[in-house]
Amino acid sequence: MLFCNIDLLDEQFCLHRNRYVGVRDGQIAYIGGIAPAEDYGERYDGRHRLMMPGFFNVHSHAPMTLLRGYAENLPLQRWLNERVFPFEAHLNAENVYWATQLAIAEMVQCGTVSFTDMYFECQAMAKAVVESGIKCNLSRGLTVFDDSAYEQLAAYRDNVELLRDYHKKADGRLSIDLCIHGEYTSSPKVVKAVAAHAKSAGVQMHIHLSETKSEHEECKQRHGMTPAAYMESCGVFDVSTTAAHCVWLEENDFSILKKHGVTVACCPASNLKLASGYANVPEMLRQGINVALGTDGAASNNNLNILQDVYLFALAYKGYYHDSTLITPAQALAAATSAGAKSQGRANCGALKVGNRADLCIVDTDTPQFTPMHDAACNVVYAAQGSDVKLTMVDGRVLYRDGAFQTIDIEQVKFEAKRHTGQILSAL
Ligand SMILES: [Zn+2]
């Protein structure tokens, strides 16, 4: 495909007007100010359109779409124990498959090209990822509340099967990570064993870290160290790790994350909605920690439109730390794109440049919110709506265009999602 006369945001999120972008074999093969001599197939009229790198949503629980709006205005423990856990007890491979399709539809409709997810019934989730054309780093959520060894857990068997059947599959779109849900939902023995498994398998880790104050303080009482120091002592950070939330980090925790190249998956909407607090993102950025963005699950957001998290990320810390110079639009967009690609271990992804994978989205700029366009990055960060996205492409394949899903039967997905939700509610 050849995009003609299109505006685009480069690696520094600076605007270039009226460019030609040629996509071939899943890659960006040409960017220039004049039409290339080669034939790239279909010509896309890019007038009044802005091309940018697609978004990476690096912390989600996709099947929680079925719980959207089901658990509201409750303290975290009651939210979990009274609403989320009883509902989740009724999830199975079939309803998780449809719930994941629904999540993927919502993500690609808002320009997301890849997500990092932690849940269960991962075989069904992997099927949805493979069929939809999106990219994903998928991990099987692991919790253990007794003295079991890792190898005795269902999660161990699932991890072995997932690594065998799905790691680096679908032309590399799908990667399998290993997971510790959190310090407070596991035992040191199992955390160490999972970390060793990830190391020997050569895969990444995905964890929750210091999301709430109580979780953070109880870890210090239990182990005499912060969750970050605890995970480091168990060897988790010996492999590339994405740590969600990191709201309550202490001084030494920042250097631990920096030392091991841990990515923080910042989830501003979820942190605000569940009243977890404000992560010290300015300090993370000052110390050079890779900060990426996640929506978290639809039960705690309640949407998977990462542009809303970009907006909150760009605003919340200015207000909380009383400094309007914190978090530039370019830093917010980098968190949602290149930092996410880095966290997923995906080379040649996350920026518009020749040789990179053609993972991109296009927004309509012929709208009030894009008029005028003094600085296109500012329009995207502070003014754009998810519905401004008109095209989402992954590895050169169009997944969404002008309201139409190319790989997902959206009517069937909505029907099945509602049907399965009704079944679960009637069984509760
Ligand atoms: Zn989470």
Side-chain angles (χ1 to χ4, degrees):
M1 186 180 273
L2 180 67
F3 298 91
C4 306
N5 298 113
I6 198 160
D7 295 340
L8 65 82
L9 291 180
D10 68 13
E11 281 178 89
Q12 280 74 46
F13 303 100
C14 295
L15 181 68
H16 297 262
R17 291 205 183 260
N18 296 316
R19 312 311 276 182
Y20 289 82
V21 180
V23 170
R24 179 184 288 147
D25 299 331
Q27 283 189 335
I28 298 172
Y30 176 86
I31 299 177
I34 54 168
E38 304 91 329
D39 180 16
Y40 285 93
E42 182 190 348
R43 294 170 73 91
Y44 181 98
D45 182 359
R47 286 175 297 168
H48 309 299
R49 295 282 193 270
L50 174 68
M51 179 188 285
M52 36 185 304
F55 300 116
F56 286 72
N57 177 1
V58 300
H59 183 67
S60 61
H61 310 285
M64 293 187 89
T65 44
L66 298 193
L67 286 91
R68 191 197 318 268
Y70 176 69
E72 299 298 319
N73 295 304
L74 290 171
L76 184 66
Q77 283 312 314
R78 287 188 59 203
W79 179 85
L80 278 171
N81 293 322
E82 295 176 20
R83 305 295 279 180
V84 174
F85 290 155
F87 192 104
E88 284 184 330
H90 291 273
L91 292 178
N92 55 40
E94 192 186 358
N95 51 35
V96 160
Y97 169 78
W98 293 110
T100 305
Q101 288 275 17
L102 183 66
I104 293 171
E106 190 181 355
M107 286 194 265
V108 299
Q109 147 182 289
C110 300
T112 293
V113 294
S114 189
F115 66 111
T116 302
D117 212 276
M118 173 199 297
Y119 215 61
F120 44 90
E121 299 292 357
C122 288
Q123 303 271 354
M125 294 179 70
K127 185 169 179 278
V129 168
V130 171
E131 290 172 2
S132 69
I134 201 168
K135 293 180 175 175
C136 179
N137 280 39
L138 181 62
S139 62
R140 201 280 199 198
L142 183 152
T143 57
V144 55
F145 298 99
D146 57 27
D147 194 37
S148 300
Y150 174 44
E151 290 76 10
Q152 294 174 280
L153 303 176
Y156 170 73
R157 291 191 297 277
D158 287 349
N159 283 343
V160 169
E161 287 178 18
L162 285 166
L163 288 168
R164 182 194 65 207
D165 298 341
Y166 288 107
H167 187 50
K168 300 288 182 197
K169 292 295 161 62
D171 299 322
R173 283 191 291 108
L174 180 56
S175 278
I176 301 300
D177 297 345
L178 296 192
C179 167
I180 293 293
H181 174 273
E183 174 277 327
Y184 64 109
T185 49
S186 54
S187 61
K189 179 168 75 178
V190 169
V191 174
K192 286 175 189 161
V194 175
H197 189 189
K199 207 170 177 178
S200 67
V203 299
Q204 304 194 177
M205 291 284 296
H206 186 191
I207 64 173
H208 289 107
L209 194 77
S210 294
E211 177 177 4
T212 66
K213 189 172 189 190
S214 58
E215 164 204 338
H216 184 85
E217 294 301 328
E218 284 165 19
C219 175
K220 284 157 68 177
Q221 283 165 19
R222 263 192 296 273
H223 303 294
M225 50 189 148
T226 63
Y230 168 80
M231 289 295 178
E232 181 188 40
S233 75
C234 292
V236 170
F237 299 155
D238 292 349
V239 302
S240 179
T241 298
T242 296
H245 305 300
C246 299
V247 173
W248 293 93
L249 297 187
E250 296 182 32
E251 207 180 323
N252 190 43
D253 295 339
F254 293 97
S255 33
I256 291 173
L257 299 190
K258 170 67 182 163
K259 184 167 91 187
H260 295 282
V262 174
T263 290
V264 174
C266 186
C267 304
S270 172
N271 294 161
L272 289 167
K273 188 160 187 282
L274 294 177
S276 303
Y278 292 87
N280 195 344
V281 173
E283 184 59 23
M284 294 173 194
L285 293 173
R286 259 194 297 276
Q287 298 212 14
I289 293 168
N290 191 46
V291 182
L293 268 183
T295 57
D296 211 349
S300 57
N301 185 306
N302 292 358
N303 64 76
L304 306 179
N305 168 16
I306 201 157
L307 273 168
Q308 289 205 347
D309 285 275
V310 170
Y311 181 74
L312 290 172
F313 182 81
L315 293 188
Y317 311 107
K318 290 180 189 291
Y320 185 72
Y321 293 104
H322 304 289
D323 183 349
S324 61
T325 67
L326 296 174
I327 321 286
T328 64
Q331 284 176 316
L333 289 176
T337 57
S338 54
K342 186 176 178 191
S343 81
Q344 291 190 337
R346 295 184 187 274
N348 305 322
C349 291
L352 295 182
K353 62 177 184 181
V354 171
N356 267 13
R357 303 303 297 167
D359 299 334
L360 53 89
C361 66
I362 290 173
V363 298
D364 181 6
T365 54
D366 193 17
T367 59
Q369 59 272 27
F370 275 90
T371 308
M373 207 155 66
H374 294 293
D375 176 345
C378 288
N379 291 77
V380 173
V381 168
Y382 299 128
Q385 308 296 313
S387 55
D388 293 336
V389 173
K390 297 301 171 195
L391 182 145
T392 304
M393 175 182 271
V394 176
D395 277 348
R397 182 182 184 196
V398 175
L399 303 188
Y400 175 80
R401 185 171 181 176
D402 298 326
F405 294 89
Q406 309 295 315
T407 56
I408 292 172
D409 182 342
I410 191 63
E411 294 307 322
Q412 188 187 13
V413 168
K414 287 187 292 184
F415 172 82
E416 293 289 356
K418 283 185 264 195
R419 185 171 74 84
H420 283 287
T421 304
Q423 279 180 357
I424 292 169
L425 290 180
S426 62
L428 280 169

